[in-house]
Amino acid sequence: MKSTINVNIELLENSVGKPYYATQNSSGIDITAGIKNNIVLNSMEYKIIPTGLKLIIPDGFEGQIRPRSGLAFKHGITVLNTPGTIDSDYRGELKVLLLNLGKQDFSVLPGMRIAQLIISSVEKANLVFIDKLDSKTERADKGFGSTGI
């Protein structure tokens, strides 16, 4: 069994429900809309949706905001900057940038599960600046589709 870490959560006045893991083996913590009134997302529109949560993510970890598969499949609702990154030194309210890619307008309801939060460890890279990279690999500088379909 993996070890767990503590993530301190402050529920703000606008919070509607507490974040939770939907099942014992869920990777993501369900995050709800911390709103008092419905917010309509027109087709091809994006808006920032508050959650009513503040977090303290421990050093060496990050939060990743990801879409919920059911909202994506059934309504075309996704998180625009997927995954959204929450750094361990951020202390503001957690907000989710939702995008409606569906053909119909979509109403975000108070307390609706709008995204999921993944807590993940982060490795820091030691940035080493050199004069020239060695590009002698099979792929070299070939990108975008160079390995086939």
Side-chain angles (χ1 to χ4, degrees), residues 2-77:
K2 276 190 136 180
S3 63
T4 58
I5 60 162
N6 290 331
V7 174
N8 294 330
I9 301 172
E10 178 183 348
L11 300 175
L12 303 176
E13 276 186 25
N14 60 310
S15 68
V16 181
K18 295 179 180 179
Y20 63 94
Y21 290 100
T23 68
Q24 181 179 348
N25 292 319
S26 292
S27 299
I29 302 164
D30 285 342
I31 301 298
T32 60
I35 55 178
K36 302 237 184 274
N37 300 305
N38 297 359
I39 294 177
V40 176
L41 282 174
N42 297 314
S43 179
M44 300 307 295
E45 182 180 40
Y46 58 89
K47 290 183 180 175
I48 293 176
I49 310 297
T51 66
L53 305 174
K54 285 186 177 181
L55 310 172
I56 296 180
I57 298 171
D59 290 346
F61 292 86
E62 68 164 332
Q64 296 178 5
I65 298 297
R66 298 184 185 173
R68 296 196 64 242
S69 59
L71 286 179
F73 177 70
K74 294 175 184 175
H75 306 284
I77 304 300

Side-chain angles (χ1 to χ4, degrees), residues 138-148:
E138 183 178 337
R139 188 173 186 181
D141 62 354
K142 296 174 188 160
F144 296 109
S146 65
T147 60

